[in-house]
Amino acid sequence: MAIIITDECINCGACEPECPNNAIYDAGASWRFSDGTELRGVIDFGDGNTLNAEEAQAAISDDIYYIVPDKCTECVGFHDEPQCAAVCPVDCCVDDENVRETEEELIAKKEWLHMEG
């Protein structure tokens, strides 16, 4: 799974600095795979798709903070629980039912993002 920020978000920003993968962005802000990770240059997703890690990607939300699912590891390998959910004053950081990943997949994503192992 990944975490999603619901529309109950009050845009306080408490979650953003807590993310070890820099997967949380302010409303309307573009994002990059290279932000807060070790990914640089052309990255290969293993399915025939490639992308420049430093290339700005379009914001997922223009209204509230948002989480990039491809960068979210639910803090697996860093913390015992998702830190965004732990610090959110209105409990709007919740499981994204549309993105399901096993713990092994989340660990593999962490290792890929941070060029470990």
Side-chain angles (χ1 to χ4, degrees), residues 6-7 10 12 16 21 34 36 38 44 48-49 64-65 116-117:
T6 68
D7 59 6
I10 59 172
C12 70
E16 186 178 20
N21 302 311
S34 61
E38 295 300 316
D44 186 345
N49 290 318
I64 57 173
Y65 276 80
E116 299 172 350

Side-chain angles (χ1 to χ4, degrees), residues 11 14 39 43 64 72-73 84-85 92 108 113:
N11 288 315
L39 298 175
I43 52 176
I64 57 173
C72 179
T73 61
C84 56
C92 67
L113 289 168

Side-chain angles (χ1 to χ4, degrees), residues 71-113:
K71 292 179 71 177
C72 179
T73 61
E74 296 182 42
C75 294
V76 168
F78 294 103
H79 304 285
D80 292 334
E81 65 180 338
Q83 296 301 285
C84 56
V87 300
C88 181
V90 292
D91 297 325
C92 67
C93 297
V94 299
D95 290 340
D96 183 347
E97 295 178 6
N98 296 318
V99 180
R100 296 291 180 195
E101 296 166 296
T102 65
E103 184 169 347
E104 291 78 23
E105 289 171 322
L106 293 169
I107 290 170
K109 186 192 294 186
K110 173 193 178 278
E111 291 173 351
W112 177 71
L113 289 168

